[in-house]
Amino acid sequence: GHSKGGNLAVYAAMNCREDTRERIRKIFNNDGPGFRPEIREAGNFQAIQGRVAKFIPRSSLVGMILEDNSEYEIVESWGMGLFQHNTYSWKIEEGSLVRAKNMAEAKVRRDAALNEWILSLSEEEIHLFIDTLYDVISASKASDVFEFGADLKKSLQNVATAAREVDENTRKTLQKMIRSLFEMMLENMKSALLQN
């Protein structure tokens, strides 16, 4: 599966009956997010870990959310930034995905800070953040990234309008959460500079 579909494929394999799990040869997770540690522990992640093939583009954001440093392959993409999440942008040569050598060190630090931040949030805060983000992005009225990018100005105007309409309490909570994310990223950058 791709994105949430990749996450669901892994989740289903972790939590299905043992006789079904034994028949699974491979689980493909294309730029799908990982799981909170308690979800991995409650499921049978270790029983399927060796059969999970995870592919992420070089600038992956979605696929690196809650990634636990398990093995994944980095692929090249024609897309830029978040647009690399679209699998149709992934480079293919001679019938195979083109593998990338590595990710930038700064991106690795950013992903670590993002995951540290996510794990610091309560379940209630996570739901609030995701639901609000979904509502705001849905306001673009684009059905996919191609449509969003086709009329970027209009999409961003719709998103900005929806963001202004978020109620005051939600806005304050979101600002506090986002401030803590930037503080964690800053701390990670400082510690990286001190190590070098």
Side-chain angles (χ1 to χ4, degrees), residues 30-42:
N30 297 315
D31 206 26
F35 301 93
R36 292 181 70 91
E38 61 270 20
I39 303 288
R40 278 196 305 274
E41 289 166 20

Side-chain angles (χ1 to χ4, degrees), residues 26-130:
K26 207 76 166 163
I27 303 121
F28 291 93
N29 180 355
N30 297 315
D31 206 26
F35 301 93
R36 292 181 70 91
E38 61 270 20
I39 303 288
R40 278 196 305 274
E41 289 166 20
N44 293 291
F45 185 71
Q46 290 179 332
I48 59 145
Q49 188 171 6
R51 291 176 275 173
V52 175
K54 183 168 182 175
F55 296 92
I56 60 170
R58 186 190 297 271
S59 292
S60 172
L61 175 64
V62 177
M64 294 306 290
I65 293 172
L66 295 175
E67 175 52 49
D68 67 335
N69 297 320
S70 60
E71 292 186 25
Y72 52 82
E73 291 195 56
I74 307 166
V75 297
E76 293 286 1
S77 168
W78 299 105
M80 299 289 287
L82 282 175
F83 290 99
Q84 289 191 8
H85 183 58
N86 184 336
T87 55
Y88 290 111
S89 76
W90 295 4
K91 293 182 182 180
I92 296 175
E93 287 179 6
E94 298 176 11
S96 295
L97 291 166
V98 177
R99 302 314 199 267
K101 290 186 175 107
N102 56 24
M103 289 185 173
E105 191 59 39
K107 184 195 175 321
V108 172
R109 285 194 300 275
R110 182 202 71 195
D111 293 339
L114 178 63
N115 288 326
E116 184 183 341
W117 175 71
I118 290 169
L119 291 171
S120 75
L121 299 177
S122 69
E123 198 167 325
E124 199 174 276
E125 288 174 318
I126 289 171
H127 285 289
L128 174 70
F129 184 79
I130 297 297

Side-chain angles (χ1 to χ4, degrees), residues 36 116-134 169-170 172-181 184:
R36 292 181 70 91
E116 184 183 341
W117 175 71
I118 290 169
L119 291 171
S120 75
L121 299 177
S122 69
E123 198 167 325
E124 199 174 276
E125 288 174 318
I126 289 171
H127 285 289
L128 174 70
F129 184 79
I130 297 297
D131 289 346
T132 306
L133 186 63
Y134 178 80
N169 286 341
T170 302
K172 283 181 180 175
T173 304
L174 291 172
Q175 286 171 341
K176 182 180 162 194
M177 288 191 289
I178 291 169
R179 194 176 311 112
S180 73
L181 170 62
M184 283 180 187

Side-chain angles (χ1 to χ4, degrees), residues 82 129-145 148 155-156 158-160 162-163:
L82 282 175
F129 184 79
I130 297 297
D131 289 346
T132 306
L133 186 63
Y134 178 80
D135 289 343
V136 168
I137 291 174
S138 294
S140 74
K141 297 186 173 80
S143 58
D144 56 37
V145 288
F148 190 92
S155 295
L156 290 174
N158 290 342
V159 165

